[in-house]
Amino acid sequence: MNVWTVAEGSSPSDIALYSLSKIVAHIGTQDFTSGVLREINRGLAAGSWSVYRTSGRRLPVCYLSNSYKRRDTTGRCFLAYREGLYREDRTFDALEGSKGQDIRILHITAGEVRNPEHRRVIYEHHRLRERLSAARLAGDGSILSVNLYRHDDQPAYRECDLQLFEHLSRGLFASVERQIALQPGMEQDGAGAQSSIADLPQDAHREALRHLAPDMPAREMEVSLRLLRGMSHDGIACDLGIGATTVKTYRNRAFARLGIHHNNELFALVLQHRDALLRR
């Protein structure tokens, strides 16, 4: 019998495999965003990262974002992007003509961002020097993108870094997709309620919450509305430009007002309110 220890290795493929073995362990956990970014930084330095879906026809959706050993401004960046910059975002033009399962690697420096406003508001204001993205074009024309950013205080990406990201990209992309699939973040018995909730217009969600908790402050309301849309804490944090810990605080306060403890109870309350109105 032969026995040996698995070596970490030093080639880009070896480092990528080692990082991926650690990344997979974070899937489904609450620390996915911070944990995965930490594992990426084992071999590929990134000051921050984000995962979002964008389309020129509708508002982009941020699934997760975080920063590594620095103040996190990724939520503010996405808020500025969603306010209109996404409409003029030409950084994904290279995906045109790609096939449904193709993952393309994009490397762009701040100076290469064509839209001056996009460059100024996102890259220059937040001191981002460049972006590495693994992106895929979906059948509906939207683009899912996993993005790593280096900041002005970090050196530029080298050729070996680009090779490492290429080796890392497919497994990282698959891990992110799996995390997104799990992100609705509900207990299993809440899954059925979510599909029914999705059939309600957003105004009906707000009306129900106002009826159930008339004194609910705006921030608690916005967090609750996003929970009803199936968003995770990370996604809500990115969407509102606040920290994930702050999201949990608002969630807990809202749930205390409503006398509940879990997401599925929130869905049930809103559906019960709808049913009560239908019976009148």
Side-chain angles (χ1 to χ4, degrees):
M1 179 177 67
N2 296 323
V3 179
W4 64 92
T5 300
V6 178
E8 290 187 23
S10 57
S11 70
S13 59
D14 290 335
I15 296 172
L17 284 173
Y18 182 73
S19 294
L20 285 171
S21 70
K22 300 293 185 180
I23 287 171
V24 169
H26 291 284
I27 297 175
T29 65
Q30 292 186 349
D31 74 337
F32 181 85
T33 51
S34 58
V36 170
L37 185 56
R38 184 172 63 249
E39 305 303 346
I40 290 172
N41 272 273
R42 288 176 179 271
L44 182 63
S48 55
W49 79 314
S50 67
V51 177
Y52 58 83
R53 186 178 297 279
T54 186
S55 168
R57 298 186 301 275
R58 56 182 181 269
L59 285 174
V61 176
C62 182
Y63 295 107
L64 54 90
S65 70
N66 213 321
S67 295
Y68 184 70
K69 293 184 176 180
R70 65 184 62 241
R71 187 168 66 92
D72 186 21
T73 62
T74 53
R76 294 180 184 177
C77 285
F78 186 74
L79 280 178
Y81 183 73
R82 193 184 62 183
E83 285 176 357
L85 294 175
Y86 73 94
R87 296 190 184 96
E88 304 297 329
D89 186 1
R90 313 305 300 175
T91 62
F92 294 106
D93 284 359
L95 268 69
E96 292 182 7
S98 61
K99 298 178 181 178
Q101 294 303 312
D102 286 348
I103 296 175
R104 290 195 172 176
I105 306 299
L106 310 173
H107 176 218
I108 186 169
T109 63
E112 293 173 322
V113 177
R114 297 182 194 175
N115 182 356
E117 186 71 1
H118 189 173
R119 184 170 61 248
R120 181 184 65 82
V121 172
I122 302 295
Y123 287 83
E124 293 176 359
H125 182 71
H126 294 282
R127 302 184 64 194
L128 305 177
R129 75 176 296 157
E130 57 189 318
R131 186 185 90 204
L132 264 178
S133 299
R136 186 167 68 194
L137 181 66
D140 63 357
S142 67
I143 295 167
L144 180 64
S145 182
V146 180
N147 313 284
L148 306 186
Y149 304 91
R150 276 198 175 172
H151 298 242
D152 285 349
D153 61 342
Q154 296 179 294
Y157 281 119
R158 301 165 297 170
E159 185 61 33
C160 61
D161 296 318
L162 303 184
Q163 291 177 5
L164 175 55
F165 186 64
E166 181 177 356
H167 287 291
L168 186 67
S169 60
R170 190 168 295 277
L172 176 61
F173 203 91
S175 299
V176 163
E177 284 190 305
R178 181 57 181 159
Q179 181 68 14
I180 291 173
L182 296 172
Q183 253 195 11
M186 301 174 301
E187 297 75 12
Q188 279 191 322
D189 57 354
Q194 186 195 17
S195 61
S196 299
I197 283 288
D199 296 333
L200 294 177
Q202 292 300 307
D203 287 347
H205 295 173
R206 190 180 297 274
E207 180 184 344
L209 289 173
R210 282 176 177 163
H211 176 82
L212 294 164
D215 60 341
M216 184 178 289
R219 274 303 196 192
E220 293 177 26
M221 175 72 72
E222 293 306 318
V223 168
S224 299
L225 289 171
R226 283 159 177 77
L227 288 171
L228 288 166
R229 285 159 52 189
M231 295 177 68
S232 70
H233 291 168
D234 289 324
I236 296 171
C238 189
D239 201 40
L240 294 177
I242 58 180
T245 301
T246 305
V247 170
K248 292 177 184 177
T249 298
Y250 286 132
R251 171 192 182 271
N252 292 341
R253 289 175 182 173
F255 281 14
R257 292 180 197 278
L258 295 167
I260 59 176
H261 298 89
H262 304 291
N263 287 3
N264 64 307
E265 294 176 283
L266 176 64
F267 303 137
L269 278 178
V270 173
L271 287 173
Q272 288 168 9
H273 176 74
R274 180 202 64 178
D275 292 343
L277 290 176
L278 291 176
R279 287 194 296 268
R280 289 179 182 176

